[in-house]
Amino acid sequence: MYRFLLSRQWVILTLVALLLIPTMIKLGFWQLHRHEHKVALNKVISQSLTATPVPAESVTAPGQHVEHADLYRRVTAKGTFDTAHEVVVRRRTNAAGEVGYHVLTPFDLDDGRVLLVNRGWIDSNGSQTAFPKIPAPAKGEITVTGRLMPDETTGDSGIKNIQGLPDRQVMLINSEQQAKSLGKQVLGGYIEQTAPAPKGDSPELIPDPEHNDIGPHMAYAIQWWLFSAGVPVGWLILVRRERRDRAEAAASTTAPEAATVAA
């Protein structure tokens, strides 16, 4: 009755179904882990943004990676901007989705070390080669406040670190890369400046990160698990349909033969 299951077609179909079930279950758990990561990250961001600012030197140091718990931590630093060694980061967008540059300015601390400060976004004005005109920061010794961010890498960001760029242009914000260029000790990571606000609102300060949206990952996880449960159900429906069709075909073949014998 079910000998057709031993045919090549049905053996392949059954094997595919057996492979799909664990694959879909794994995909569901992958989406679940992404959901959990997003929830945990939102919690870190929320706590960091509401915490009292601390000195940048207390949470990072030259060659040190920014800890996950310190992401977006509000920090302060006292020193002076070094606009002579300012660079721009290519292919960055503002809140409106416009493509331009991020302005990365070394901030010389009182102890001789350097903190990288992302001062915000400026328009590229259509040029990809000429160094843009950048509004100057406050002169003299000041205190800046910003959100602490980890060094950007190709692996984490997906941005290729293209070589041979025009002078004073980079693809990634990376303290080790800038330390080699400056010949100074640079604190690990960088900060997104939040204060003081620039004159004329340029560069545009980078807005606070979204930390209320948990994304669709949990829905996707449930969807994959429902798919995995649907595979054996679908397989069983196909088997019963095949059995019925074969039984009907056999009956239609037997009927004329019986009629001939009776005649």
Side-chain angles (χ1 to χ4, degrees):
M1 185 179 296
Y2 291 100
R3 292 186 63 184
F4 63 86
L5 292 175
L6 299 178
S7 66
R8 181 179 179 182
Q9 176 184 356
W10 275 96
V11 168
I12 293 175
L13 181 62
T14 302
L15 289 175
V16 170
L18 291 175
L19 288 173
L20 283 176
I21 293 172
T23 300
M24 291 178 175
I25 291 175
K26 288 182 180 179
L27 287 171
F29 277 109
W30 175 60
Q31 289 291 349
L32 176 63
H33 294 155
R34 294 188 66 186
H35 168 77
E36 293 173 341
H37 173 76
K38 181 67 175 177
V39 171
L41 179 59
N42 284 351
K43 183 178 180 180
V44 169
I45 295 173
S46 178
Q47 292 175 342
S48 295
L49 294 180
T50 56
T52 302
V54 298
E57 303 93 317
S58 68
V59 288
T60 183
Q64 180 177 317
H65 297 288
V66 175
E67 298 293 336
H68 180 76
D70 292 324
L71 290 178
Y72 297 97
R73 183 72 179 269
R74 295 173 66 217
V75 299
T76 61
K78 186 176 181 181
T80 56
F81 280 111
D82 176 13
T83 55
H85 296 96
E86 195 168 58
V87 300
V88 292
V89 191
R90 293 166 60 95
R91 302 178 185 174
R92 300 302 167 109
T93 57
N94 63 1
E98 300 170 311
V99 179
Y101 300 109
H102 277 176
V103 179
L104 187 65
T105 311
F107 190 72
D108 294 332
L109 305 177
D110 294 339
D111 60 8
R113 295 184 296 177
V114 175
L115 172 67
L116 297 178
V117 178
N118 184 344
R119 294 203 289 125
W121 182 90
I122 60 170
D123 195 342
S124 65
N125 292 317
S127 175
Q128 294 293 318
T129 56
F131 191 75
K133 183 178 181 180
I134 304 172
K139 295 183 179 180
E141 189 173 66
I142 64 169
T143 297
V144 296
T145 303
R147 298 180 293 265
L148 183 63
M149 302 295 294
D151 285 324
E152 295 179 345
T153 65
T154 297
D156 292 335
S157 67
I159 301 173
K160 292 183 179 180
N161 193 16
I162 301 173
Q163 303 300 315
L165 295 175
D167 187 39
R168 298 174 66 183
Q169 294 191 20
V170 298
M171 296 298 299
L172 298 168
I173 305 178
N174 187 282
S175 62
E176 293 183 2
Q177 177 181 320
Q178 292 303 310
K180 292 178 182 178
S181 176
L182 294 170
K184 296 181 179 180
Q185 287 190 318
V186 179
L187 301 184
Y190 66 98
I191 69 169
E192 295 175 342
Q193 183 177 341
T194 57
K199 294 181 179 180
D201 295 327
S202 184
E204 295 179 19
L205 295 180
I206 300 173
D208 286 346
E210 169 60 48
H211 57 281
N212 293 317
D213 183 16
I214 60 174
H217 304 300
M218 177 58 77
Y220 289 159
I222 295 173
Q223 189 176 59
W224 279 118
W225 291 332
L226 289 175
F227 286 160
S228 68
V231 169
V233 174
W235 181 87
L236 183 59
I237 291 173
L238 290 176
V239 168
R240 296 184 64 179
R241 181 180 298 172
E242 181 74 9
R243 177 179 175 276
R244 183 194 63 200
D245 291 346
R246 286 174 177 267
E248 291 177 352
S252 63
T253 301
T254 304
E257 293 179 353
T260 303
V261 171

